[in-house]
Amino acid sequence: MKLVMKFGGTSVGESSRIKHVANVVRDHALKGDKIVVVISAMSGVTDQLIEIAKKASMRDRTSIDAFVKSLASRHSQACRDVIKNSEILEQTLRSLNEQIAELEKVLVGITYLGELTFRSRDYALSFGEKLSTIVMSGAMRDLGLRVDYFTGGESGIITDDSFGEAKPLMNITRQQVKEKLGPIIEAGAVPVVTGFIGVTQDGLTTTLGRGGSDYTATILGAALQVDEVWIWTDVDGLMTADPKVEPSAKTIPVISFSEAMEMAYFGAKVMHPRALEPASEGEIPIRVKNTFNPDGPGTLIVQEKQVKSEGIVKSIAMIRNVALINVSGAGMVGAPGIAAKVFSVLAENNINVLMISQSSSEANISFIIPRTSLEKAVNTLELSLLGSGFVKEVTSETDICVLAVVGAGMKGTPGVAARVFKAVADQGVNIRMIAQGSSELNISFVVEEIGGVKALRALHREFKLDC
Ligand code: ADP
Ligand code: ASP
Ligand code: MG
């Protein structure tokens, strides 16, 4: 089979896991599979890079030395633990040190500038994947595999310049990836590619959004028209709920792209929401598998028509770290263009709106955004809307979360919404907002944060997802 295999941060987070992953790849290569490997940063590294870059922008020079030392030591120790061949070890350590020195220069540069643009932040973040992928390449070489290391850009992933959330330019990417990786896999070697990062047409490093290594995998898979994309992670597949929140969650054996997309969009972190697009368009199945239980069947994500309809609801998802904004004023009634103005202001400021609801009286519009964008959103909305005579107030709430009940079987099944809202109400949890016109594949609504987990677990029981 021709496969892209992506290994997430926890799968490459320590020496024994790196060794294990290298063995998994080797076993498949020995069976004759043609494989492209995509690697995420070691667990926790991207968060640490975000933090240190922020400190650097506040001219905190002192934290940099200790950070760089500990990052270098974590990666070089992994190499020493895993790579037995001294020549391969030496080469790998040399490549690591080059990248570490470059990262240090970048961070020191940020302290001099005293500012952190999205562009320089992306460059700083890219080192997480570059370092882990160098270690992984060394580990695989040590097992006798023929390996070629690529950054996302070198592998042909060309993106627009929306730093922090870049999107691939698929036409050029498809062509470049085929040219660069195609001959290597045909020759029986294994390209090992950094997840999460791409490059603009001008050669600037971009990132594909948090969790973006999944996206790297499906972009490469679509470009190379592989048989399947395998997402290796730390759980058994896509589950009926986040197993960290609902311990009785079960693995879903088969699910459609559109259902998986809804789950990912509404907080199932196991998959980057946009990662499903290239695979769905190219009709390339995705398999989600547990690195630590490689023989388990995992979850297969395929076209809708290939999924037998079973059950009404497949999964319950939850997004925390969101905020609700309410724009209101009696003057909004009958005034055209207010909603358009609100959402264009948000779009101009790159603020992602997750859910929208407008009261039938038209006197208010409520919507949900990521909590990190709250201050910017309220400030810009106040600046552009207050004083117009139409809008009286912009208020916000942060003690909320979004729940989504996902499943294609809800389409045309009467009474599902009633069951959902009754189950939540029976827990004494308040529903603050229900989205209008959401897809028929899900019912999504906002509850008080304190009751979020309780409501999720009640819904999981209500739809017998634990059986
Ligand atoms: P990786 O590092 O492999 O990319 P992530 O941490 O990004 O892994 O995603 C895996 C995590 O997603 C799991 O550990 C799990 O807690 C979480 N998760 C949330 N919702 C779900 C779900 N419905 N099914 C499976 N995992 C989920
Ligand atoms: N390392 C990146 C992140 O933590 C990308 C990924 O893990 O998929 O978001
Ligand atoms: Mg992930």
Side-chain angles (χ1 to χ4, degrees):
M1 285 221 280
K2 192 149 74 161
L3 299 169
V4 173
M5 289 191 176
K6 173 257 171 178
F7 294 89
T10 41
S11 303
V12 296
E14 55 181 70
S15 311
S16 60
R17 297 183 171 190
I18 293 168
K19 181 106 204 155
H20 172 69
V21 164
N23 277 309
V24 169
V25 176
R26 193 215 19 207
D27 291 350
H28 278 273
L30 286 178
K31 275 200 311 193
D33 289 334
K34 291 177 174 155
I35 309 163
V36 175
V37 174
V38 174
I39 301 292
S40 290
M42 288 171 99
S43 47
V45 168
T46 306
D47 288 335
Q48 289 164 5
L49 286 166
I50 291 175
E51 199 177 320
I52 194 74
K54 202 156 137 205
K55 281 188 180 160
S57 73
M58 294 187 286
R59 301 188 190 275
D60 174 355
R61 175 76 177 77
T62 49
S63 313
I64 294 177
D65 287 346
F67 170 76
V68 169
K69 274 205 187 83
S70 91
L71 194 71
S73 126
R74 183 172 175 192
H75 288 83
S76 54
Q77 189 56 47
C79 290
R80 286 194 192 91
D81 292 344
V82 169
I83 304 172
K84 296 287 163 271
N85 178 307
S86 57
E87 205 177 312
I88 297 174
L89 176 62
E90 205 180 298
Q91 279 166 6
T92 312
L93 289 175
R94 207 178 309 129
S95 308
L96 268 186
N97 288 338
E98 278 167 21
Q99 293 299 329
I100 291 278
E102 174 86 7
L103 171 63
E104 187 165 14
K105 277 192 233 154
V106 171
L107 292 173
V108 171
I110 295 172
T111 63
Y112 280 116
L113 291 171
E115 65 163 9
L116 185 63
T117 59
F118 281 108
R119 174 173 152 180
S120 44
R121 187 175 180 269
D122 271 5
Y123 190 52
L125 294 194
S126 71
F127 286 88
E129 267 67 13
K130 287 186 211 157
L131 295 173
S132 62
T133 306
I134 288 172
V135 178
M136 200 63 222
S137 307
M140 288 167 50
R141 240 174 234 140
D142 194 59
L143 292 182
L145 284 165
R146 275 189 294 144
V147 168
D148 270 323
Y149 166 93
F150 291 88
T151 62
E154 287 164 355
S155 77
I157 299 181
I158 311 297
T159 71
D160 64 11
D161 63 356
S162 16
F163 295 99
E165 283 286 343
K167 282 167 212 69
L169 307 174
M170 266 328 266
N171 284 341
I172 171 162
T173 293
R174 208 172 285 120
Q175 185 197 335
Q176 295 236 5
V177 169
K178 262 196 279 192
E179 263 170 37
K180 294 187 170 168
L181 303 191
I184 295 176
I185 41 178
E186 289 314 321
V190 182
V192 187
V193 183
T194 61
F196 187 44
I197 54 185
V199 74
T200 65
Q201 281 172 301
D202 302 333
L204 302 170
T205 300
T206 52
T207 65
L208 305 170
R210 292 306 305 270
S213 301
D214 302 329
Y215 204 8
T216 305
T218 56
I219 293 167
L220 296 179
L224 295 165
Q225 292 174 297
V226 296
D227 297 305
E228 290 184 5
V229 172
W230 289 15
I231 304 290
W232 291 90
T233 184
D234 60 349
V235 288
D236 274 331
L238 282 190
M239 306 183 75
T240 52
D242 183 345
K244 291 187 186 120
V245 176
E246 175 52 73
S248 70
K250 295 272 181 296
T251 306
I252 303 169
V254 186
I255 193 165
S256 68
F257 283 114
S258 34
E259 288 169 305
M261 221 175 277
E262 299 285 334
M263 284 175 66
Y265 183 76
F266 285 101
K269 186 188 169 209
V270 62
M271 181 68 72
H272 184 294
R274 286 211 307 271
L276 292 145
E277 283 165 25
S280 162
E281 279 163 22
E283 304 209 6
I284 295 165
I286 300 180
R287 214 176 272 278
V288 183
K289 286 176 74 76
N290 189 341
T291 312
F292 312 108
N293 177 21
D295 297 327
T299 297
L300 186 63
I301 311 176
V302 286
Q303 299 295 326
E304 204 133 31
K305 54 182 186 288
Q306 291 166 259
V307 183
K308 270 196 259 134
S309 54
E310 268 170 35
I312 302 169
V313 168
K314 289 233 170 71
S315 179
I316 321 286
M318 173 162 69
I319 326 183
R320 301 181 222 233
N321 297 322
V322 285
L324 186 152
I325 295 189
N326 193 34
V327 175
S328 59
M332 284 165 63
V333 179
I338 301 283
K341 175 85 182 159
V342 167
F343 295 114
S344 63
V345 166
L346 295 168
E348 278 158 23
N349 285 280
N350 251 333
I351 296 167
N352 186 21
V353 178
L354 289 114
M355 280 170 76
I356 303 169
S357 153
Q358 184 168 25
S359 68
S360 49
S361 72
E362 293 184 53
N364 76 65
I365 303 170
S366 309
F367 49 89
I368 302 291
I369 57 164
R371 212 172 283 174
T372 43
S373 310
L374 179 62
E375 206 185 312
K376 190 167 158 199
V378 172
N379 288 345
T380 43
L381 285 170
E382 284 183 343
L383 269 176
S384 24
L385 298 172
L386 297 185
S388 63
F390 298 112
V391 172
K392 185 155 166 280
E393 288 195 296
V394 179
T395 55
S396 63
E397 296 171 38
T398 51
D399 55 345
I400 49 133
C401 62
V402 175
L403 286 178
V405 175
V406 178
M410 295 193 301
K411 229 186 265 182
T413 308
V416 183
R419 274 174 77 186
V420 168
F421 297 128
K422 177 163 187 316
V424 175
D426 285 350
Q427 297 298 313
V429 175
N430 249 328
I431 296 181
R432 297 262 179 93
M433 172 181 152
I434 298 172
Q436 225 178 20
S438 55
S439 103
E440 284 185 275
L441 294 177
N442 90 62
I443 296 174
S444 46
F445 53 97
V446 177
V447 297
E448 49 197 2
E449 192 167 33
I450 198 171
V453 170
K454 203 159 53 160
L456 180 146
R457 302 197 64 185
L459 289 165
H460 200 260
R461 281 194 301 277
E462 171 65 28
F463 291 98
K464 307 211 167 14
L465 298 177
D466 47 355
C467 305

